[in-house]
Amino acid sequence: MNIILLGPPGAGKGTQARKLVEERNMVQLSTGDMLREARRNGTEMGKKAGEIMDRGDLVSDDVVIGIIREQLEQDNGAGGYIFDGFPRTLAQAEALGRLLIDMGENLDAVIEMQVDDDALVGRITARSSCKACGEVYNDITKPIPADGKCVNCGSDDIIRRPDDNEESLRTRLFAYYKQTSPLVGYYYAKGDLKAVDGLANMDEVAASIAKALR
Ligand code: AMP
């Protein structure tokens, strides 16, 4: 099964993707994580992308389609792919459609995670995550443990993303509504779209996604 998690920044796509990986042996393909890794590795592409990401704008379609194509060529897909943060534009959606056809694969569902903007600002500006395993923390609802160690993997490398600030978030939300939200209509028209309430607690959202995938 191959699915897309669609939703604005802070909707909980990464959290739900990790749950699906654990429970269904699926492979999470997060273009945001891949770009951050390229940046850490200091590649030319990573450096250029880093500046764009800090502003909150979208990296070019050619770059992200290229990195997704590379991943799909390397991975064997195991229990299927979860596309997290990709596609973000119509050009990316069409490229993904072609890549899946070339691989003889289908897109089984597009889960739209619905949340309102006020909740997003609160979630994102309070967010940090474990660099080692991706576990997400929130200053109010799930603070980092007093010993500074990740509850999931024990690493003490818990970080805030440089783009998780109010100014960059405003740009990211603008990019979402302008460039990504047309994909809701695109996938609805194809009959692939399932909406879930992304504001419910993590387990309830996971249950709604499981129901949508049945
Ligand atoms: P994310 O971790 O998904 O919130 O992505 C962080 C940042 O990486 C975004 O604000 C964009 O600058 C960039 N990015 C991630 N995925 C894409 C994509 N599919 N298309 C363009 N830019 C992306």
Side-chain angles (χ1 to χ4, degrees), residues 144-212:
I144 300 165
D147 64 3
K149 291 195 191 314
C150 175
V151 289
N152 184 45
C153 74
S155 160
D156 56 9
D157 208 357
I158 298 177
I159 51 160
R160 276 187 205 276
R161 280 171 44 170
D163 57 344
D164 275 353
N165 61 71
E166 257 191 87
E167 197 188 333
S168 156
L169 176 60
R170 230 171 289 137
T171 313
R172 285 153 76 198
L173 280 175
F174 187 71
Y176 179 78
Y177 289 116
K178 190 172 171 201
Q179 290 161 282
T180 308
S181 67
L183 298 185
V184 171
Y186 175 85
Y187 286 118
Y188 175 78
K190 285 178 174 282
D192 296 329
L193 194 77
K194 322 253 182 197
V196 302
D197 172 12
L199 276 184
N201 76 39
M202 194 175 86
D203 292 328
E204 283 166 2
V205 178
S208 313
I209 292 177
K211 196 169 154 206

Side-chain angles (χ1 to χ4, degrees), residues 31 46 61 64 70 90 110 117 126 142 149 153 179 200 214:
T31 38
D61 287 336
V64 286
E70 246 173 60
L90 283 169
V110 177
D117 289 2
K142 188 179 166 189
K149 291 195 191 314
C153 74
Q179 290 161 282
R214 272 205 289 273

Side-chain angles (χ1 to χ4, degrees), residues 31-32 35-36 53 57-59 64 85-86 88 92 161:
T31 38
L35 291 167
R36 279 183 287 277
M53 292 163 79
D57 288 324
L58 292 189
V59 173
V64 286
F86 179 91
R88 263 173 153 102
Q92 292 177 23
R161 280 171 44 170

Side-chain angles (χ1 to χ4, degrees), residues 76-112:
N76 69 7
Y81 293 105
I82 307 156
F83 296 94
D84 160 13
F86 179 91
R88 263 173 153 102
T89 63
L90 283 169
Q92 292 177 23
E94 300 212 313
L96 176 61
R98 284 192 297 271
L99 283 170
L100 289 172
I101 289 173
D102 288 349
M103 291 162 57
E105 293 276 344
N106 287 321
L107 181 62
D108 297 279
V110 177
I111 307 285
E112 182 201 359

